[in-house]
Amino acid sequence: MTSHKISRPRKRDAEATKQRILQAALEEFSTHGHSGARVDRVAEGAGVSKPMIYEYFGDKDTIYAAALREAYVRIRQAEKHLDLDALPPEAAIRELVRFTMNHFRRNPWFVSMLAIENLRGGQTIRQVGDAPLIQSVLVERVGEVLKRGIGAGLFRDDIDPVDFYVFIASLCYFPISNTHTLKAVFKLPVDDAWLDKRSADATEMLLGFLRQAP
Amino acid sequence: MTSHKISRPRKRDAEATKQRILQAALEEFSTHGHSGARVDRVAEGAGVSKPMIYEYFGDKDTIYAAALREAYVRIRQAEKHLDLDALPPEAAIRELVRFTMNHFRRNPWFVSMLAIENLRGGQTIRQVGDAPLIQSVLVERVGEVLKRGIGAGLFRDDIDPVDFYVFIASLCYFPISNTHTLKAVFKLPVDDAWLDKRSADATEMLLGFLRQAP
Amino acid sequence: MTSHKISRPRKRDAEATKQRILQAALEEFSTHGHSGARVDRVAEGAGVSKPMIYEYFGDKDTIYAAALREAYVRIRQAEKHLDLDALPPEAAIRELVRFTMNHFRRNPWFVSMLAIENLRGGQTIRQVGDAPLIQSVLVERVGEVLKRGIGAGLFRDDIDPVDFYVFIASLCYFPISNTHTLKAVFKLPVDDAWLDKRSADATEMLLGFLRQAP
Amino acid sequence: MTSHKISRPRKRDAEATKQRILQAALEEFSTHGHSGARVDRVAEGAGVSKPMIYEYFGDKDTIYAAALREAYVRIRQAEKHLDLDALPPEAAIRELVRFTMNHFRRNPWFVSMLAIENLRGGQTIRQVGDAPLIQSVLVERVGEVLKRGIGAGLFRDDIDPVDFYVFIASLCYFPISNTHTLKAVFKLPVDDAWLDKRSADATEMLLGFLRQAP
DNA sequence: CATGAATGAGCTTTCATTCAT
DNA sequence: GATGAATGAAAGCTCATTCAT
């Protein structure tokens, strides 16, 4: 998420204003959590007055819900850039893992929003529903790759794409989401090099798993 | 007749009170996060007056730090019950994964505290330091098991125990920490059965990885 | 082709708009009081934008003043329908009381405006001045009836018409203005039947008073 | 209601503090109405900080309810000082009217609270219920006097005490509650002399009514 | 030690009013 | 003339923290 000051507010443009608020809200909530977020800071970040925010969204919870939804929308958008069709199955898996790791690494605000929403018991995501907008595109890609791999006799055929995607996500999410405790507790150097190695090892692990007989 | 005689029980009481506060704080912070936690609720949960809490801890941040430390202490305590010495290397790995998964599953407050502290950028854990009290015993166990496995020619010899433990943790942590979004977004039934399957598959994945030539 | 031709309709529209605002304001202020009234709701009720309201009236206090004045204007208008000339004095008094009671009963917004303005210490009515527009027609009628009654030797001759009208008003106003507390505190059934009985009794009371020797 | 600054707050006395808040709330609500009342002013008037008020009462509506109840409690207290037993029936009625008029005149805050609560549709009084604390003592007195008058063959026997009390109240309430509009609209000099005359005339009117055959 | 009473500072939300088109 | 967009100022309410007993 680019945090450089939003370009000078073009006044009297409702849609643009709403978008600026959303952007600021996403920054604020992902950095401070739900209770820690301050509507004042959202207003300042968006370059608008507080009443505008309430005009457009109603109350803090609704701003949060909108920000969470926005997080998913953006991530989904970013995921569309992944194209695995040209790659053979195993290479596709490699690319998938690499992509996922980078995805989380470059969009830590998304990882934060996930953590925050889960800490809240998923109250909001459950209501946002709106599956098509929210569901990861990656799962579809995974499904396609697995099918190709199975067809080529390379992968076992008893793996659910969602379950498998959760493995990928698990391996990529944790080192990013828990960077700080990993550094402090295990003295790990959670930097790009370490994450790249992690990504590579995870890939091997996952491919090994896929190659195993059921 | 000095007051000497009762000074011992007093101390006992004080210690017990402090412990009750810690327990209440742990519950409060893990369920509501740092900003969401309320000192009033901690006091009520501990059955003491608010000034008591300030007497013992100073301010909210310090209570939080103590609760975080307490979380690690308790988890470390629980980890001591794991004994892998009697098991052959591969069985030991299986047990380790099983144990870790159950560990997170049964102590969701710990998972929450990890998420919370990481969202805060690890501010506190970095200061708590106190490594010996905090570092996971599991890493040592992992180290021992890996060594035995390497000695027996079963496992590759280029794996760092900490790195490997992080793989285990990744695979077990994510489905627990992100239960709610997994349910809402992927319609996954994140229940005991699903988690057991996950644990089993993760085990295979990890063993496969250990068996691979470097 | 000047714009002259449409200037008349414009004026008509402007006047009509102003009237709609006044109507909405009257509703709003009489139901919510001065502080409780919301300019937004007046705008919505009148079907115009807020700036329009400020264009026409200036500020909330001025709207209130206009609404109060409007209340008096309307009431005065309604009072014109009372014709006592054909009735003998005692019947005229009966009709007068009946009319007043119904007047308050059917125009509770007027009773409310009176209460509201008095709670505000009469700040506004004092400034509105504008006596001719505001003074009740009823007082004149009362004066005429009393004169006729005195002339006929039926009524005592030391009664001031205004004072007497205030008696009528007192007896009719209170049960309407205080309906809710009367219901709650005295369990009175303040409905049409009860008010009719009240009106009848009040009439006897007032006639008895008029017949008494000074 | 004495409005001179309350004697220096004796700190750390919960009951006294609560009472001071109640006093200040009564002043504030009766002067400014429900929406117009400011919690800040109540706090200042009571010599406490705002949080104290919320600690003791919860929210603005509850403060209002407590103030309304307090108004009734005080009025009932004041009404206890009326003793009619020694007076013959007609004198007792005279005294009753005189007392009621003075009651309203000296406690305008009570008249205001009645008007305010009625403007709110009696929302609160309906919930306060609590009849014994709220019902006027005067009604009982009226009942006793009427009974004595009927027994002495002086009064008609078809008058309900409550209904009759409402006549008294009507005649005394209106000139007080509507002082300001009466002054502004009818140029009436609503002062002590005028109110005394009113009281006297009302008495005659009411006695005449009581003496009439049914 | 222990606590009921109290508060400064800040948070979310509202509202009369104005700007800019 | 008309309005959607915007805001300064304040209102109700909360919370970490301290006082006084």
Side-chain angles (χ1 to χ4, degrees):
Chain A
M1 186 162 27
T2 56
S3 69
H4 53 70
K5 280 282 183 302
I6 295 105
S7 61
R8 200 119 298 280
R10 285 176 303 177
K11 299 219 159 169
R12 312 277 150 180
D13 179 344
E15 205 44 52
T17 300
K18 198 165 178 180
Q19 203 53 39
R20 286 211 318 281
I21 294 173
L22 226 39
Q23 166 69 20
L26 191 43
E27 277 177 35
E28 178 66 16
F29 278 109
S30 65
T31 345
H32 295 94
H34 183 275
S35 317
R38 294 292 167 256
V39 178
D40 290 58
R41 278 195 299 247
V42 174
E44 195 184 334
V48 299
S49 62
K50 268 183 294 176
M52 271 288 84
I53 295 182
Y54 286 93
E55 167 81 14
Y56 286 129
F57 294 94
D59 67 0
K60 192 181 172 181
D61 271 6
T62 310
I63 311 171
Y64 170 77
L68 180 63
R69 193 176 180 288
E70 177 73 3
Y72 275 104
V73 169
R74 292 193 183 196
I75 277 298
R76 193 174 204 259
Q77 205 60 32
E79 288 175 347
K80 285 187 179 157
H81 292 87
L82 176 68
D83 183 12
L84 304 173
D85 294 347
L87 299 173
E90 301 213 336
I93 294 289
R94 283 178 213 282
E95 174 59 11
L96 202 47
V97 177
R98 204 191 54 76
F99 179 87
T100 303
M101 180 67 92
N102 287 341
H103 209 37
F104 288 155
R105 196 189 319 192
R106 286 177 197 145
N107 302 295
W109 49 267
F110 182 64
V111 173
S112 292
M113 287 305 277
L114 284 184
I116 289 163
E117 175 61 7
N118 276 289
L119 281 170
R120 289 168 48 75
Q123 284 175 42
T124 304
I125 193 70
R126 217 175 298 129
Q127 286 165 359
V128 170
D130 211 352
L133 263 170
I134 268 175
Q135 178 134 3
S136 174
V137 190
L138 296 189
V139 170
E140 295 172 34
R141 300 282 173 281
V142 169
E144 295 158 10
V145 172
L146 286 185
K147 195 178 290 182
R148 284 201 285 132
I150 294 167
L154 294 166
F155 300 162
R156 60 197 287 186
D157 64 356
D158 64 338
I159 306 291
D160 177 70
V162 176
D163 283 358
F164 189 72
Y165 174 66
V166 175
F167 279 128
I168 300 180
S170 300
L171 291 163
C172 296
Y173 178 94
F174 182 80
I176 310 285
S177 74
N178 288 33
T179 293
H180 302 289
T181 46
L182 290 175
K183 279 182 177 166
V185 174
F186 297 112
K187 314 296 176 198
L188 284 170
V190 188
D191 53 15
D192 277 344
W194 187 82
L195 287 172
D196 286 339
K197 175 69 161 57
R198 194 124 275 270
S199 181
D201 283 356
T203 304
E204 292 321 309
M205 199 178 293
L206 290 159
L207 280 175
F209 179 67
L210 284 178
R211 289 187 204 115
Q212 285 176 354
Chain B
M1 192 173 355
T2 65
S3 66
H4 201 112
K5 271 184 176 167
I6 57 166
S7 77
R8 196 71 71 74
R10 274 275 168 96
K11 231 178 219 168
R12 282 272 159 73
D13 287 3
E15 204 46 49
T17 299
K18 200 166 177 177
Q19 201 55 37
R20 285 217 315 286
I21 295 174
L22 231 36
Q23 165 67 22
L26 191 44
E27 278 174 32
E28 178 66 16
F29 279 109
S30 65
T31 20
H32 294 96
H34 182 274
S35 314
R38 296 292 168 255
V39 177
D40 289 59
R41 279 197 297 249
V42 174
E44 194 187 335
V48 299
S49 65
K50 265 187 295 176
M52 267 292 85
I53 293 184
Y54 284 92
E55 170 80 16
Y56 281 128
F57 293 95
D59 68 357
K60 189 182 175 180
D61 274 3
T62 311
I63 310 173
Y64 170 76
L68 181 63
R69 194 175 179 286
E70 176 72 4
Y72 275 105
V73 168
R74 292 193 184 197
I75 277 298
R76 191 174 203 260
Q77 204 61 31
E79 289 175 348
K80 285 187 179 157
H81 293 86
L82 175 68
D83 183 11
L84 304 173
D85 294 346
L87 298 173
E90 299 212 337
I93 293 291
R94 284 179 210 282
E95 174 60 12
L96 201 47
V97 178
R98 205 191 55 76
F99 179 87
T100 303
M101 181 66 92
N102 288 340
H103 208 37
F104 287 155
R105 196 189 319 193
R106 287 178 196 145
N107 302 293
W109 49 266
F110 182 63
V111 173
S112 292
M113 288 303 279
L114 283 183
I116 290 163
E117 175 61 9
N118 276 290
L119 282 169
R120 289 169 48 75
Q123 284 176 43
T124 305
I125 193 70
R126 217 176 297 128
Q127 285 164 1
V128 169
D130 210 352
L133 259 173
I134 268 176
Q135 177 133 7
S136 174
V137 192
L138 295 189
V139 170
E140 295 172 35
R141 299 283 174 280
V142 169
E144 294 158 12
V145 171
L146 285 185
K147 193 178 292 181
R148 284 202 283 135
I150 295 167
L154 293 166
F155 299 163
R156 61 199 286 186
D157 65 354
D158 63 340
I159 306 291
D160 177 70
V162 175
D163 283 357
F164 189 72
Y165 174 67
V166 173
F167 278 128
I168 301 179
S170 299
L171 290 163
C172 296
Y173 178 94
F174 182 79
I176 309 285
S177 74
N178 288 35
T179 293
H180 301 289
T181 45
L182 287 175
K183 279 182 177 167
V185 174
F186 298 111
K187 314 294 175 199
L188 283 171
V190 188
D191 53 14
D192 278 343
W194 188 82
L195 288 172
D196 286 340
K197 176 68 162 58
R198 194 126 277 269
S199 181
D201 282 356
T203 305
E204 293 321 308
M205 201 178 291
L206 290 159
L207 281 175
F209 179 67
L210 284 178
R211 290 187 203 113
Q212 286 175 353
Chain C
M1 190 171 0
T2 65
S3 66
H4 201 114
K5 270 182 178 169
I6 57 167
S7 77
R8 196 73 71 74
R10 274 273 167 96
K11 231 177 218 168
R12 281 271 159 75
D13 285 5
E15 204 46 49
T17 300
K18 199 164 179 179
Q19 201 54 36
R20 284 217 315 286
I21 295 174
L22 231 36
Q23 165 67 23
L26 191 44
E27 277 174 33
E28 178 67 15
F29 280 108
S30 65
T31 20
H32 295 96
H34 183 274
S35 315
R38 296 293 167 255
V39 177
D40 289 59
R41 278 197 297 248
V42 173
E44 196 188 334
V48 300
S49 66
K50 267 187 293 176
M52 266 293 83
I53 292 184
Y54 283 93
E55 170 79 14
Y56 281 128
F57 293 95
D59 68 358
K60 191 182 175 180
D61 273 3
T62 310
I63 311 172
Y64 170 77
L68 181 63
R69 193 176 180 286
E70 176 72 4
Y72 274 106
V73 168
R74 292 193 183 195
I75 277 298
R76 192 174 203 261
Q77 204 61 31
E79 288 174 348
K80 285 188 180 157
H81 292 85
L82 176 68
D83 183 11
L84 304 174
D85 294 346
L87 298 174
E90 299 213 339
I93 294 291
R94 284 180 211 282
E95 175 59 12
L96 201 48
V97 177
R98 206 190 54 77
F99 180 87
T100 304
M101 180 67 91
N102 287 342
H103 209 36
F104 287 155
R105 198 190 317 192
R106 285 178 197 145
N107 302 294
W109 49 266
F110 182 62
V111 173
S112 293
M113 288 304 278
L114 283 185
I116 290 163
E117 175 61 7
N118 276 290
L119 282 170
R120 288 169 49 75
Q123 284 176 46
T124 305
I125 193 70
R126 217 176 297 128
Q127 285 164 1
V128 169
D130 211 351
L133 260 173
I134 268 175
Q135 176 134 3
S136 174
V137 191
L138 295 190
V139 171
E140 295 172 34
R141 299 282 174 282
V142 169
E144 294 159 12
V145 172
L146 285 186
K147 194 178 289 180
R148 284 201 283 134
I150 294 167
L154 293 166
F155 300 162
R156 58 199 287 187
D157 65 355
D158 64 340
I159 306 291
D160 177 69
V162 175
D163 282 359
F164 189 71
Y165 174 66
V166 173
F167 278 128
I168 301 180
S170 299
L171 291 163
C172 295
Y173 178 94
F174 182 80
I176 309 284
S177 75
N178 287 35
T179 293
H180 302 288
T181 46
L182 288 176
K183 279 183 177 167
V185 175
F186 297 113
K187 315 294 175 200
L188 284 171
V190 187
D191 53 15
D192 277 343
W194 188 83
L195 287 172
D196 286 340
K197 175 67 162 58
R198 193 125 276 268
S199 181
D201 283 355
T203 304
E204 293 321 308
M205 201 177 292
L206 290 159
L207 281 175
F209 180 67
L210 284 178
R211 289 187 204 113
Q212 285 176 353
Chain D
M1 184 162 28
T2 55
S3 70
H4 52 70
K5 281 279 184 302
I6 295 105
S7 61
R8 199 120 298 280
R10 283 175 304 175
K11 300 220 158 168
R12 311 277 148 181
D13 180 344
E15 205 45 50
T17 299
K18 198 165 177 179
Q19 202 54 39
R20 288 212 315 283
I21 295 174
L22 226 39
Q23 165 69 20
L26 191 43
E27 277 178 36
E28 178 67 15
F29 279 109
S30 63
T31 341
H32 295 93
H34 183 274
S35 316
R38 294 293 167 254
V39 178
D40 289 58
R41 279 197 298 248
V42 173
E44 194 183 335
V48 299
S49 62
K50 265 186 297 176
M52 273 288 85
I53 294 182
Y54 286 94
E55 167 81 14
Y56 286 128
F57 294 94
D59 66 1
K60 191 181 173 179
D61 271 6
T62 309
I63 311 173
Y64 170 77
L68 181 63
R69 194 177 180 286
E70 177 73 3
Y72 275 104
V73 168
R74 292 194 183 195
I75 277 299
R76 194 175 203 258
Q77 204 60 31
E79 288 175 347
K80 285 187 181 157
H81 293 86
L82 176 68
D83 183 12
L84 305 174
D85 294 346
L87 300 174
E90 300 212 337
I93 293 290
R94 284 179 210 283
E95 173 59 13
L96 202 47
V97 177
R98 204 192 54 77
F99 180 87
T100 303
M101 181 67 91
N102 287 342
H103 209 35
F104 286 156
R105 198 190 318 193
R106 285 178 198 145
N107 302 296
W109 49 267
F110 182 63
V111 172
S112 292
M113 288 304 278
L114 284 184
I116 290 163
E117 175 61 8
N118 276 289
L119 282 169
R120 288 168 49 74
Q123 284 176 42
T124 305
I125 194 70
R126 216 176 299 129
Q127 285 165 359
V128 169
D130 210 351
L133 263 170
I134 269 176
Q135 178 133 5
S136 174
V137 190
L138 294 189
V139 171
E140 296 173 34
R141 299 282 174 282
V142 169
E144 294 159 12
V145 172
L146 286 185
K147 195 178 291 180
R148 284 202 283 134
I150 294 167
L154 295 166
F155 300 162
R156 61 198 285 187
D157 64 355
D158 64 339
I159 306 290
D160 177 70
V162 175
D163 282 358
F164 189 71
Y165 174 67
V166 173
F167 278 128
I168 301 180
S170 299
L171 291 163
C172 296
Y173 178 94
F174 182 80
I176 310 284
S177 75
N178 288 32
T179 293
H180 301 290
T181 46
L182 288 176
K183 279 182 176 166
V185 175
F186 298 111
K187 314 296 176 199
L188 283 170
V190 188
D191 53 15
D192 277 343
W194 188 82
L195 287 172
D196 286 339
K197 175 67 161 56
R198 195 126 274 270
S199 182
D201 283 355
T203 304
E204 293 321 309
M205 200 178 293
L206 290 160
L207 281 175
F209 179 66
L210 283 179
R211 289 188 204 113
Q212 286 175 355

